[in-house]
Amino acid sequence: MTAFILAMTLWPDVQARAQAELDALLGHAFARPPSLADRASLSYVNALVLEVLRWNPAVPLGLAHQLAQHDVYRGRWLREGTVIWANIW
């Protein structure tokens, strides 16, 4: 949420474009909140949400994976059963 507020503060033109897209779909008075069914019609808002998640992912280190078999990565030999963490950042 903090990353979203920062982005909207730094780029008010992005906020205005996202608001215009919401207004075009839901009306200026927002007779109803947007739903998941509206996602296809809100391409700019969807892209904005994805960009905020890219800036500040909810889980920066992803999820742990365990090797099912021996592997070689960048010249390093990894044993079966090794736990690997992907760094999303």
Coordinates of all heavy atoms in Angstrom, one line a residue:
M1 N 0.8 -1.2 0.0 CA 0.0 0.0 0.0 C 0.9 1.3 0.0 O 0.6 2.2 -0.7 CB -0.9 0.0 1.2 CG -2.0 1.0 1.2 SD -3.0 1.0 -0.3 CE -4.3 -0.1 0.3
T2 N 2.0 1.2 0.8 CA 2.9 2.3 0.8 C 3.5 2.6 -0.6 O 3.6 3.8 -1.0 CB 4.0 2.1 1.8 OG1 3.4 1.8 3.1 CG2 4.9 3.3 2.0
A3 N 3.9 1.6 -1.3 CA 4.4 1.7 -2.6 C 3.4 2.4 -3.6 O 3.8 3.2 -4.4 CB 4.9 0.4 -3.2
F4 N 2.2 2.0 -3.4 CA 1.1 2.6 -4.3 C 0.9 4.0 -4.0 O 0.9 4.9 -4.9 CB -0.2 1.8 -4.1 CG -1.4 2.4 -4.8 CD1 -1.5 2.3 -6.1 CD2 -2.3 3.2 -4.1 CE1 -2.6 2.9 -6.8 CE2 -3.4 3.8 -4.7 CZ -3.5 3.6 -6.1
I5 N 0.9 4.4 -2.7 CA 0.7 5.8 -2.3 C 1.9 6.6 -2.8 O 1.7 7.7 -3.3 CB 0.5 5.9 -0.8 CG1 -0.8 5.3 -0.4 CG2 0.6 7.4 -0.3 CD1 -1.1 5.1 1.1
L6 N 3.1 6.1 -2.7 CA 4.3 6.8 -3.2 C 4.2 7.0 -4.7 O 4.5 8.1 -5.2 CB 5.6 6.0 -2.8 CG 6.9 6.5 -3.4 CD1 7.2 7.9 -2.9 CD2 8.0 5.5 -3.2
A7 N 3.8 6.0 -5.4 CA 3.7 6.1 -6.9 C 2.7 7.1 -7.3 O 2.9 8.0 -8.2 CB 3.4 4.7 -7.5
M8 N 1.5 7.2 -6.6 CA 0.5 8.1 -6.9 C 0.9 9.6 -6.6 O 0.5 10.5 -7.2 CB -0.8 7.8 -6.2 CG -1.4 6.5 -6.7 SD -1.7 6.3 -8.5 CE -0.3 5.5 -9.1
T9 N 1.7 9.7 -5.5 CA 2.2 11.0 -5.1 C 3.3 11.5 -6.1 O 3.3 12.7 -6.5 CB 2.9 10.9 -3.7 OG1 1.9 10.4 -2.8 CG2 3.4 12.3 -3.3
L10 N 4.1 10.6 -6.6 CA 5.2 11.0 -7.5 C 4.7 11.2 -8.9 O 5.2 12.0 -9.7 CB 6.3 9.9 -7.6 CG 7.1 9.8 -6.3 CD1 8.1 8.6 -6.4 CD2 7.9 11.1 -6.0
W11 N 3.7 10.5 -9.4 CA 3.1 10.6 -10.7 C 1.6 10.8 -10.7 O 0.8 9.9 -11.0 CB 3.5 9.3 -11.5 CG 5.0 9.2 -11.7 CD1 5.7 9.9 -12.6 CD2 5.9 8.3 -11.0 NE1 7.0 9.5 -12.5 CE2 7.1 8.6 -11.6 CE3 5.7 7.4 -10.0 CZ2 8.3 7.9 -11.1 CZ3 6.8 6.7 -9.6 CH2 8.1 7.0 -10.1
P12 N 1.2 12.0 -10.5 CA -0.3 12.3 -10.4 C -0.9 12.1 -11.8 O -2.1 11.8 -11.8 CB -0.3 13.8 -10.0 CG 1.0 14.3 -10.2 CD 2.0 13.2 -10.1
D13 N -0.2 12.2 -12.9 CA -0.8 11.9 -14.2 C -1.2 10.4 -14.3 O -2.2 10.1 -15.0 CB 0.2 12.3 -15.3 CG 1.5 11.6 -15.2 OD1 2.1 11.6 -14.1 OD2 2.1 11.2 -16.2
V14 N -0.4 9.5 -13.7 CA -0.8 8.1 -13.7 C -2.1 7.9 -12.9 O -3.0 7.2 -13.3 CB 0.4 7.3 -13.1 CG1 -0.1 5.8 -12.9 CG2 1.6 7.4 -14.0
Q15 N -2.2 8.6 -11.7 CA -3.4 8.5 -10.9 C -4.6 9.0 -11.7 O -5.6 8.4 -11.7 CB -3.2 9.3 -9.6 CG -4.4 9.2 -8.7 CD -4.3 10.1 -7.5 OE1 -3.3 10.8 -7.3 NE2 -5.3 10.0 -6.6
A16 N -4.4 10.1 -12.4 CA -5.5 10.7 -13.2 C -6.0 9.8 -14.3 O -7.2 9.6 -14.5 CB -5.1 12.0 -13.7
R17 N -5.0 9.1 -14.9 CA -5.4 8.2 -16.0 C -6.1 6.9 -15.4 O -7.1 6.5 -16.0 CB -4.2 7.7 -16.8 CG -4.5 6.9 -17.9 CD -3.3 6.7 -18.8 NE -3.6 5.6 -19.8 CZ -2.7 5.1 -20.6 NH1 -1.4 5.5 -20.6 NH2 -3.0 4.2 -21.5
A18 N -5.6 6.4 -14.3 CA -6.3 5.3 -13.7 C -7.7 5.7 -13.2 O -8.7 4.9 -13.4 CB -5.5 4.8 -12.5
Q19 N -7.8 6.9 -12.6 CA -9.1 7.3 -12.2 C -10.1 7.5 -13.3 O -11.3 7.2 -13.2 CB -9.0 8.7 -11.4 CG -10.3 9.1 -10.8 CD -10.8 8.2 -9.7 OE1 -10.1 8.0 -8.8 NE2 -12.0 7.8 -9.8
A20 N -9.6 8.0 -14.5 CA -10.4 8.2 -15.7 C -10.9 6.8 -16.2 O -12.1 6.7 -16.6 CB -9.7 8.9 -16.7
E21 N -10.1 5.8 -16.1 CA -10.5 4.5 -16.5 C -11.6 3.9 -15.6 O -12.6 3.3 -16.1 CB -9.3 3.5 -16.6 CG -9.6 2.2 -17.2 CD -8.4 1.3 -17.3 OE1 -7.9 0.8 -16.2 OE2 -7.9 1.1 -18.4
L22 N -11.4 4.1 -14.3 CA -12.4 3.7 -13.4 C -13.7 4.4 -13.6 O -14.8 3.9 -13.5 CB -11.9 3.9 -11.9 CG -10.9 2.9 -11.5 CD1 -10.2 3.3 -10.2 CD2 -11.5 1.5 -11.3
D23 N -13.7 5.8 -13.8 CA -14.9 6.6 -14.0 C -15.6 6.2 -15.2 O -16.8 6.1 -15.3 CB -14.5 8.1 -14.1 CG -14.1 8.6 -12.7 OD1 -14.3 8.0 -11.7 OD2 -13.5 9.7 -12.7
A24 N -14.8 5.8 -16.3 CA -15.5 5.4 -17.6 C -16.2 4.1 -17.4 O -17.3 3.9 -18.0 CB -14.4 5.3 -18.6
L25 N -15.8 3.2 -16.6 CA -16.4 1.9 -16.4 C -17.5 2.0 -15.3 O -18.6 1.5 -15.5 CB -15.4 0.9 -15.9 CG -16.0 -0.5 -15.7 CD1 -16.4 -1.1 -17.0 CD2 -15.0 -1.4 -15.0
L26 N -17.3 2.7 -14.2 CA -18.2 2.6 -13.1 C -19.0 3.9 -12.9 O -19.9 3.9 -12.1 CB -17.4 2.4 -11.8 CG -16.5 1.1 -11.8 CD1 -15.7 1.1 -10.6 CD2 -17.4 -0.1 -11.9
G27 N -18.7 4.9 -13.7 CA -19.4 6.2 -13.5 C -18.7 7.0 -12.5 O -18.0 6.5 -11.6
H28 N -18.9 8.3 -12.6 CA -18.2 9.3 -11.7 C -18.6 9.1 -10.2 O -17.8 9.4 -9.3 CB -18.4 10.7 -12.2 CG -17.5 11.7 -11.5 ND1 -16.1 11.7 -11.8 CD2 -17.7 12.7 -10.6 CE1 -15.5 12.6 -11.1 NE2 -16.5 13.3 -10.4
A29 N -19.8 8.7 -10.0 CA -20.3 8.5 -8.6 C -20.0 7.2 -8.0 O -20.3 6.9 -6.8 CB -21.8 8.8 -8.6
F30 N -19.4 6.3 -8.8 CA -19.0 4.9 -8.3 C -20.3 4.3 -7.7 O -20.3 4.0 -6.5 CB -17.9 4.9 -7.3 CG -16.5 4.9 -7.9 CD1 -16.0 6.0 -8.4 CD2 -15.8 3.7 -8.0 CE1 -14.7 6.0 -9.0 CE2 -14.6 3.7 -8.5 CZ -14.0 4.8 -9.0
A31 N -21.3 4.0 -8.5 CA -22.5 3.3 -8.1 C -22.2 2.0 -7.4 O -23.0 1.5 -6.6 CB -23.5 3.2 -9.2
R32 N -21.1 1.4 -7.8 CA -20.7 0.1 -7.2 C -19.2 0.0 -7.2 O -18.5 0.7 -8.0 CB -21.3 -1.1 -8.0 CG -20.7 -1.1 -9.4 CD -21.3 -2.3 -10.2 NE -20.7 -2.3 -11.6 CZ -19.6 -2.8 -11.9 NH1 -18.8 -3.4 -11.0 NH2 -19.2 -2.8 -13.2
P33 N -18.6 -0.8 -6.3 CA -17.2 -1.0 -6.4 C -16.8 -1.9 -7.5 O -17.6 -2.7 -8.0 CB -16.8 -1.6 -5.0 CG -18.1 -2.3 -4.6 CD -19.2 -1.5 -5.2
P34 N -15.5 -1.8 -8.0 CA -15.1 -2.7 -9.1 C -15.0 -4.1 -8.6 O -14.7 -4.3 -7.4 CB -13.7 -2.1 -9.5 CG -13.3 -1.2 -8.4 CD -14.5 -0.8 -7.7
S35 N -15.2 -5.1 -9.5 CA -15.1 -6.5 -9.1 C -14.1 -7.2 -10.0 O -13.6 -6.6 -11.0 CB -16.5 -7.1 -9.2 OG -16.8 -7.2 -10.5
L36 N -13.8 -8.4 -9.7 CA -12.9 -9.2 -10.5 C -13.4 -9.3 -11.9 O -12.7 -9.5 -12.9 CB -12.6 -10.5 -9.9 CG -11.7 -10.5 -8.7 CD1 -11.6 -11.9 -8.1 CD2 -10.4 -10.0 -9.0
A37 N -14.7 -9.3 -12.1 CA -15.3 -9.4 -13.4 C -15.0 -8.2 -14.3 O -15.0 -8.2 -15.5 CB -16.8 -9.5 -13.3
D38 N -14.6 -7.1 -13.7 CA -14.3 -5.8 -14.4 C -12.8 -5.8 -14.8 O -12.4 -4.9 -15.5 CB -14.6 -4.6 -13.5 CG -16.0 -4.5 -13.2 OD1 -16.8 -4.7 -14.0 OD2 -16.3 -4.1 -12.0
R39 N -12.0 -6.8 -14.4 CA -10.6 -6.7 -14.6 C -10.2 -6.6 -16.1 O -9.3 -5.8 -16.4 CB -10.0 -8.0 -14.0 CG -8.5 -7.9 -13.9 CD -7.9 -9.1 -13.2 NE -6.5 -9.0 -13.1 CZ -5.8 -9.9 -12.5 NH1 -6.3 -11.0 -12.0 NH2 -4.5 -9.8 -12.5
A40 N -10.9 -7.3 -16.9 CA -10.6 -7.2 -18.4 C -10.8 -5.8 -18.9 O -10.2 -5.4 -19.9 CB -11.4 -8.2 -19.1
S41 N -11.7 -5.0 -18.3 CA -12.1 -3.7 -18.8 C -11.2 -2.6 -18.1 O -11.2 -1.5 -18.5 CB -13.5 -3.4 -18.5 OG -14.4 -4.3 -19.1
L42 N -10.4 -3.0 -17.2 CA -9.5 -2.1 -16.5 C -8.0 -2.4 -16.7 O -7.2 -2.6 -15.8 CB -9.8 -2.1 -15.0 CG -11.2 -1.7 -14.6 CD1 -11.5 -2.0 -13.1 CD2 -11.4 -0.2 -14.9
S43 N -7.6 -2.4 -18.0 CA -6.3 -2.8 -18.3 C -5.2 -1.9 -17.7 O -4.2 -2.3 -17.3 CB -6.1 -2.9 -19.8 OG -6.4 -1.6 -20.4
Y44 N -5.4 -0.6 -17.7 CA -4.5 0.4 -17.1 C -4.3 0.2 -15.6 O -3.2 0.2 -15.1 CB -4.8 1.8 -17.5 CG -3.7 2.8 -17.2 CD1 -2.6 2.9 -18.0 CD2 -3.7 3.6 -16.0 CE1 -1.6 3.8 -17.7 CE2 -2.7 4.4 -15.7 CZ -1.6 4.6 -16.6 OH -0.6 5.4 -16.3
V45 N -5.5 0.1 -14.9 CA -5.5 -0.2 -13.5 C -4.8 -1.5 -13.2 O -4.0 -1.6 -12.2 CB -6.9 -0.1 -12.9 CG1 -6.9 -0.5 -11.5 CG2 -7.5 1.3 -13.1
N46 N -5.1 -2.5 -13.9 CA -4.4 -3.8 -13.7 C -2.9 -3.7 -13.9 O -2.1 -4.2 -13.1 CB -5.0 -4.8 -14.7 CG -4.5 -6.2 -14.4 OD1 -4.6 -6.7 -13.3 ND2 -4.0 -6.9 -15.4
A47 N -2.5 -3.0 -14.9 CA -1.0 -2.8 -15.1 C -0.4 -2.0 -14.0 O 0.7 -2.3 -13.5 CB -0.8 -2.1 -16.5
L48 N -1.1 -1.0 -13.5 CA -0.7 -0.2 -12.3 C -0.5 -1.1 -11.1 O 0.5 -1.0 -10.4 CB -1.7 0.9 -12.0 CG -1.4 1.8 -10.9 CD1 -0.1 2.5 -11.0 CD2 -2.5 2.8 -10.7
V49 N -1.4 -2.0 -10.8 CA -1.3 -2.9 -9.7 C -0.1 -3.8 -9.8 O 0.6 -4.0 -8.9 CB -2.6 -3.7 -9.5 CG1 -2.5 -4.8 -8.5 CG2 -3.8 -2.8 -9.1
L50 N 0.1 -4.4 -11.0 CA 1.2 -5.3 -11.3 C 2.5 -4.5 -11.1 O 3.5 -5.1 -10.6 CB 1.1 -5.9 -12.7 CG -0.1 -6.9 -12.9 CD1 -0.1 -7.3 -14.3 CD2 0.1 -8.0 -11.9
E51 N 2.6 -3.3 -11.5 CA 3.8 -2.5 -11.4 C 4.1 -2.2 -9.9 O 5.3 -2.3 -9.5 CB 3.7 -1.2 -12.2 CG 4.9 -0.3 -12.1 CD 6.2 -1.0 -12.8 OE1 6.1 -2.0 -13.4 OE2 7.3 -0.4 -12.6
V52 N 3.1 -1.9 -9.1 CA 3.3 -1.7 -7.7 C 3.8 -3.0 -7.0 O 4.7 -3.0 -6.2 CB 2.0 -1.2 -7.0 CG1 2.1 -1.2 -5.5 CG2 1.7 0.2 -7.5
L53 N 3.3 -4.1 -7.4 CA 3.7 -5.4 -6.9 C 5.1 -5.7 -7.3 O 5.9 -6.4 -6.6 CB 2.8 -6.5 -7.3 CG 1.4 -6.5 -6.6 CD1 0.5 -7.6 -7.2 CD2 1.5 -6.7 -5.1
R54 N 5.5 -5.3 -8.5 CA 6.9 -5.5 -9.0 C 7.9 -4.6 -8.1 O 8.9 -5.1 -7.7 CB 7.1 -5.1 -10.4 CG 8.4 -5.4 -11.0 CD 8.6 -4.9 -12.4 NE 8.6 -3.4 -12.5 CZ 9.7 -2.7 -12.3 NH1 10.9 -3.3 -12.0 NH2 9.7 -1.4 -12.4
W55 N 7.5 -3.4 -7.8 CA 8.3 -2.5 -7.0 C 8.5 -3.1 -5.6 O 9.6 -3.0 -5.1 CB 7.6 -1.2 -6.8 CG 7.8 -0.2 -7.8 CD1 8.2 -0.4 -9.1 CD2 7.5 1.2 -7.7 NE1 8.2 0.8 -9.8 CE2 7.7 1.8 -8.9 CE3 6.9 2.0 -6.7 CZ2 7.6 3.2 -9.2 CZ3 6.7 3.3 -6.9 CH2 7.1 3.9 -8.2
N56 N 7.4 -3.6 -5.0 CA 7.5 -4.0 -3.6 C 6.7 -5.4 -3.5 O 5.6 -5.4 -3.0 CB 6.9 -3.0 -2.7 CG 7.2 -3.2 -1.3 OD1 8.0 -4.1 -0.9 ND2 6.7 -2.3 -0.4
P57 N 7.3 -6.5 -3.9 CA 6.6 -7.7 -3.8 C 6.3 -8.1 -2.4 O 7.0 -7.8 -1.5 CB 7.6 -8.8 -4.4 CG 8.9 -8.1 -4.5 CD 8.7 -6.6 -4.4
A58 N 5.2 -8.8 -2.2 CA 4.7 -9.2 -0.9 C 5.7 -10.2 -0.3 O 5.8 -10.2 0.9 CB 3.3 -9.8 -1.0
V59 N 6.3 -11.0 -1.1 CA 7.2 -12.0 -0.6 C 8.5 -11.8 -1.3 O 8.7 -12.5 -2.4 CB 6.7 -13.4 -0.7 CG1 7.6 -14.5 -0.1 CG2 5.3 -13.5 -0.1
P60 N 9.5 -11.0 -0.9 CA 10.7 -10.7 -1.7 C 11.6 -11.9 -2.0 O 12.3 -11.9 -3.0 CB 11.4 -9.6 -0.9 CG 10.6 -9.4 0.3 CD 9.4 -10.2 0.3
L61 N 11.5 -12.9 -1.2 CA 12.4 -14.0 -1.4 C 11.6 -15.2 -2.0 O 12.2 -16.3 -2.2 CB 13.0 -14.5 -0.1 CG 14.1 -13.5 0.4 CD1 14.6 -14.0 1.8 CD2 15.2 -13.3 -0.5
G62 N 10.4 -15.0 -2.4 CA 9.6 -16.1 -3.0 C 9.4 -17.2 -2.1 O 9.4 -17.1 -0.9
L63 N 9.3 -18.4 -2.6 CA 9.0 -19.6 -1.8 C 10.2 -20.6 -2.0 O 10.8 -20.7 -3.1 CB 7.7 -20.3 -2.2 CG 6.5 -19.5 -2.0 CD1 5.3 -20.2 -2.6 CD2 6.2 -19.1 -0.6
A64 N 10.5 -21.3 -1.0 CA 11.6 -22.3 -1.0 C 11.2 -23.4 -1.9 O 10.1 -23.9 -2.0 CB 11.9 -22.8 0.4
H65 N 12.2 -23.9 -2.7 CA 12.0 -25.1 -3.5 C 13.1 -26.1 -3.1 O 14.2 -25.7 -2.7 CB 12.2 -24.8 -5.0 CG 11.1 -23.9 -5.5 ND1 11.0 -22.6 -5.3 CD2 10.0 -24.2 -6.3 CE1 9.9 -22.1 -5.9 NE2 9.3 -23.1 -6.5
Q66 N 12.8 -27.4 -3.3 CA 13.8 -28.4 -3.0 C 14.1 -29.2 -4.2 O 13.2 -29.6 -4.9 CB 13.3 -29.3 -1.9 CG 14.3 -30.3 -1.4 CD 13.8 -31.1 -0.2 OE1 12.6 -31.2 0.1 NE2 14.7 -31.7 0.6
L67 N 15.4 -29.4 -4.5 CA 15.8 -30.1 -5.7 C 15.3 -31.6 -5.7 O 15.6 -32.3 -4.7 CB 17.3 -30.0 -6.0 CG 17.8 -28.6 -6.3 CD1 19.3 -28.7 -6.5 CD2 17.2 -28.0 -7.5
A68 N 14.7 -32.1 -6.7 CA 14.3 -33.5 -6.8 C 15.4 -34.4 -7.3 O 15.3 -35.6 -7.1 CB 13.0 -33.6 -7.7
Q69 N 16.4 -33.7 -7.9 CA 17.5 -34.5 -8.5 C 18.7 -33.6 -8.5 O 18.6 -32.4 -8.3 CB 17.2 -35.0 -9.9 CG 17.0 -33.9 -10.9 CD 16.5 -34.4 -12.2 OE1 15.9 -35.5 -12.3 NE2 16.7 -33.7 -13.2
H70 N 19.9 -34.2 -8.6 CA 21.1 -33.4 -8.7 C 21.0 -32.4 -9.9 O 20.4 -32.7 -10.9 CB 22.3 -34.3 -8.9 CG 22.6 -35.3 -7.8 ND1 22.6 -34.9 -6.4 CD2 22.7 -36.6 -7.8 CE1 22.8 -35.9 -5.7 NE2 22.9 -37.0 -6.5
D71 N 21.7 -31.3 -9.7 CA 21.6 -30.3 -10.8 C 22.9 -29.5 -10.8 O 23.6 -29.5 -9.8 CB 20.4 -29.3 -10.6 CG 20.0 -28.5 -11.8 OD1 20.6 -28.7 -12.9 OD2 19.2 -27.7 -11.7
V72 N 23.2 -28.8 -11.9 CA 24.4 -27.9 -12.1 C 23.8 -26.6 -12.5 O 23.1 -26.5 -13.5 CB 25.4 -28.5 -13.1 CG1 26.5 -27.4 -13.3 CG2 25.9 -29.8 -12.7
Y73 N 24.2 -25.5 -11.7 CA 23.7 -24.2 -12.0 C 24.9 -23.3 -12.0 O 25.6 -23.2 -11.0 CB 22.7 -23.7 -11.0 CG 22.2 -22.3 -11.2 CD1 21.4 -22.0 -12.3 CD2 22.7 -21.2 -10.4 CE1 20.9 -20.7 -12.5 CE2 22.2 -19.9 -10.6 CZ 21.4 -19.7 -11.7 OH 21.0 -18.4 -11.9
R74 N 25.2 -22.7 -13.2 CA 26.3 -21.8 -13.4 C 27.6 -22.4 -12.9 O 28.4 -21.8 -12.2 CB 26.1 -20.4 -12.7 CG 25.0 -19.6 -13.3 CD 24.9 -18.2 -12.7 NE 23.9 -17.5 -13.3 CZ 23.6 -16.2 -13.0 NH1 24.3 -15.6 -12.1 NH2 22.7 -15.6 -13.7
G75 N 27.8 -23.7 -13.2 CA 29.0 -24.4 -12.9 C 29.1 -24.9 -11.5 O 30.1 -25.5 -11.1
R76 N 28.1 -24.7 -10.7 CA 28.0 -25.2 -9.4 C 27.2 -26.5 -9.3 O 26.0 -26.5 -9.8 CB 27.5 -24.2 -8.4 CG 28.3 -23.0 -8.3 CD 28.1 -22.3 -7.1 NE 29.3 -21.6 -6.7 CZ 29.5 -21.1 -5.6 NH1 28.6 -21.1 -4.6 NH2 30.7 -20.5 -5.3
W77 N 27.7 -27.5 -8.6 CA 27.0 -28.8 -8.5 C 26.1 -28.7 -7.3 O 26.6 -28.3 -6.2 CB 28.0 -29.9 -8.4 CG 27.3 -31.3 -8.4 CD1 26.9 -31.9 -9.4 CD2 27.1 -32.1 -7.2 NE1 26.3 -33.1 -9.0 CE2 26.4 -33.2 -7.7 CE3 27.3 -31.9 -5.9 CZ2 26.1 -34.2 -6.8 CZ3 26.9 -32.9 -5.0 CH2 26.3 -34.1 -5.5
L78 N 24.8 -29.0 -7.4 CA 23.9 -28.9 -6.3 C 23.3 -30.3 -6.1 O 22.8 -31.0 -7.0 CB 22.7 -28.0 -6.6 CG 23.2 -26.5 -6.9 CD1 22.0 -25.7 -7.5 CD2 23.8 -25.9 -5.7
R79 N 23.3 -30.8 -4.8 CA 22.9 -32.1 -4.5 C 21.3 -32.2 -4.5 O 20.7 -31.2 -4.2 CB 23.4 -32.5 -3.1 CG 24.8 -32.7 -3.0 CD 25.2 -33.3 -1.7 NE 24.4 -32.7 -0.6 CZ 24.5 -33.0 0.6 NH1 25.3 -34.0 1.0 NH2 23.7 -32.4 1.5
E80 N 20.8 -33.4 -4.7 CA 19.4 -33.6 -4.6 C 19.0 -33.3 -3.1 O 19.7 -33.6 -2.2 CB 19.1 -35.1 -4.9 CG 17.7 -35.5 -4.6 CD 17.5 -37.0 -4.9 OE1 18.4 -37.6 -5.5 OE2 16.5 -37.5 -4.4
G81 N 17.9 -32.6 -3.0 CA 17.4 -32.3 -1.6 C 17.8 -30.9 -1.2 O 17.4 -30.4 -0.1
T82 N 18.7 -30.2 -2.0 CA 19.1 -28.9 -1.6 C 17.9 -27.9 -1.7 O 17.1 -28.0 -2.6 CB 20.2 -28.4 -2.6 OG1 21.3 -29.3 -2.5 CG2 20.7 -27.0 -2.3
V83 N 17.8 -27.0 -0.7 CA 16.7 -26.0 -0.7 C 17.2 -24.8 -1.4 O 18.3 -24.3 -1.1 CB 16.3 -25.7 0.8 CG1 15.3 -24.6 0.8 CG2 15.8 -27.0 1.5
I84 N 16.4 -24.3 -2.3 CA 16.8 -23.2 -3.2 C 15.7 -22.1 -2.9 O 14.5 -22.3 -2.9 CB 16.7 -23.5 -4.7 CG1 17.7 -24.7 -5.0 CG2 17.0 -22.3 -5.5 CD1 19.1 -24.4 -4.8
W85 N 16.2 -20.8 -2.7 CA 15.4 -19.7 -2.5 C 15.6 -18.8 -3.7 O 16.7 -18.4 -4.0 CB 15.7 -18.9 -1.3 CG 15.3 -19.6 0.0 CD1 16.0 -20.5 0.7 CD2 14.1 -19.4 0.7 NE1 15.3 -20.9 1.8 CE2 14.1 -20.2 1.8 CE3 13.0 -18.6 0.5 CZ2 13.0 -20.3 2.7 CZ3 11.9 -18.6 1.4 CH2 12.0 -19.5 2.5
A86 N 14.5 -18.4 -4.4 CA 14.6 -17.5 -5.5 C 14.5 -16.1 -5.0 O 13.6 -15.7 -4.3 CB 13.5 -17.8 -6.6
N87 N 15.4 -15.2 -5.4 CA 15.3 -13.8 -5.0 C 14.5 -13.0 -6.1 O 15.0 -12.8 -7.2 CB 16.7 -13.2 -4.9 CG 16.7 -11.8 -4.3 OD1 15.7 -11.2 -4.2 ND2 17.9 -11.3 -3.9
I88 N 13.3 -12.6 -5.7 CA 12.4 -12.0 -6.7 C 13.0 -10.6 -7.1 O 12.8 -10.1 -8.2 CB 11.0 -11.9 -6.1 CG1 10.4 -13.3 -6.0 CG2 10.1 -11.0 -7.0 CD1 9.1 -13.3 -5.3
W89 N 13.6 -9.9 -6.1 CA 14.2 -8.6 -6.4 C 15.3 -8.7 -7.4 O 15.7 -7.9 -8.1 CB 14.6 -7.8 -5.2 CG 13.4 -7.2 -4.5 CD1 12.3 -6.7 -5.0 CD2 13.3 -7.0 -3.1 NE1 11.5 -6.2 -4.1 CE2 12.1 -6.3 -2.9 CE3 14.1 -7.3 -2.0 CZ2 11.6 -6.0 -1.6 CZ3 13.7 -6.9 -0.8 CH2 12.4 -6.3 -0.6

